[in-house]
Amino acid sequence: SATAQQAAQDVAPASAERAAKPKGLDPNSLHPAIASIDTATGGIIALYGGPDFTTGRNWATTPRPTGSTFKPWSLVAGLRQGATLNTVLNGNEFTPPGESKPISNAGGSNYGPVTLQKATTSSINSAYVDLVLQMDNGPESVIQAAEDAGLTNHDWAAVPAITLGFGEVAPVEAARGLATLVNGGQRTDTHIVAEVKDLNGAGLYTAQVNPQQTGLSVTRTLTPA
């Protein structure tokens, strides 16, 4: 809608300004982007890909590292394998087997043993890496969950730290994935044209909405066991 689009155009640059100002950066160098879609149909409600067309790139459709927005796919993978919100994880900094660098948390925090619910609420990096390590074929299972939701695999490395969002995903695809969860596991194709009519009002084109059930229903584990 026009209102949603205007809101995206206002919020994206303002957010970039707040993030860039303390570091003395050009806000546009952060490439702010927003994608909002109808969870039931996949129709794009609002899209902000940059301040103008001179850059030649739409940052809302350009893959980039996702950060913690990739953690939901580890959550889905864990729940698929029987984890619950009471599953206990390592909330302290630690070095995964075979790695040379430790997994740290924001601000250098150590939380001790935490439940999956706490790990999710506080977005605890170390706990989520521990979750991946506790799973069978953890990294591959996380990738499968993300692909099932509708995200495109851009050569993601199948390592435990994949949950921290080093892999790249376009904002519009990230929105599509979360919409799949909201839509009861039914994945839809994103589209920006809903219908086309001729001058007499006769329909020339209507976007086809064909939801695909992905098996991402995890409602049975959303309450502590």
Side-chain angles (χ1 to χ4, degrees):
S1 68
T3 301
Q5 181 62 34
Q6 187 59 57
Q9 291 176 217
D10 294 339
V11 169
S15 297
E17 179 72 30
R18 287 195 300 272
K21 188 173 181 180
K23 299 180 180 179
L25 300 174
D26 174 4
N28 288 327
S29 70
L30 302 180
H31 310 306
I34 288 178
S36 175
I37 69 174
D38 185 318
T39 57
T41 69
I44 293 175
I45 298 171
L47 200 73
Y48 179 90
D52 53 45
F53 292 99
T54 61
T55 61
R57 177 172 293 185
N58 182 344
W59 289 101
T61 58
T62 299
R64 77 276 293 286
T66 66
S68 290
T69 62
F70 208 84
K71 284 175 180 167
W73 315 121
S74 299
L75 174 62
V76 168
L79 295 175
R80 279 176 157 179
Q81 292 198 21
T84 74
L85 295 185
N86 280 339
T87 294
V88 177
L89 304 166
N90 184 0
N92 290 334
E93 178 179 300
F94 75 98
T95 302
E99 298 292 333
S100 59
K101 295 182 179 180
I103 302 298
S104 59
N105 298 310
S109 299
N110 285 305
Y111 297 86
V114 296
T115 63
L116 178 53
Q117 181 171 355
K118 172 62 177 177
T120 302
T121 301
S122 299
S123 190
I124 302 174
N125 293 342
S126 60
Y128 258 88
V129 172
D130 189 32
L131 174 65
V132 178
L133 288 169
Q134 289 191 32
M135 285 188 263
D136 294 331
N137 299 314
E140 293 80 6
S141 297
V142 174
I143 289 173
Q144 186 63 60
E147 291 178 336
D148 287 347
L151 278 63
T152 299
N153 185 340
H154 295 282
D155 296 322
W156 299 329
V159 297
I162 188 173
T163 188
L164 304 183
F166 297 121
E168 296 188 338
V169 176
V172 71
E173 287 192 345
R176 182 193 186 200
L178 293 176
T180 300
L181 293 184
V182 174
N183 202 30
Q186 291 195 330
R187 183 182 62 224
T188 58
D189 293 327
T190 55
H191 57 277
I192 202 164
V193 177
E195 61 180 348
V196 177
K197 296 181 178 180
D198 64 18
L199 293 176
N200 298 316
L204 299 176
Y205 167 82
T206 300
Q208 298 299 305
V209 179
N210 298 306
Q212 294 177 296
Q213 187 62 49
T214 62
L216 290 186
S217 178
V218 294
T219 53
R220 66 176 181 84
T221 52
L222 292 184
T223 55

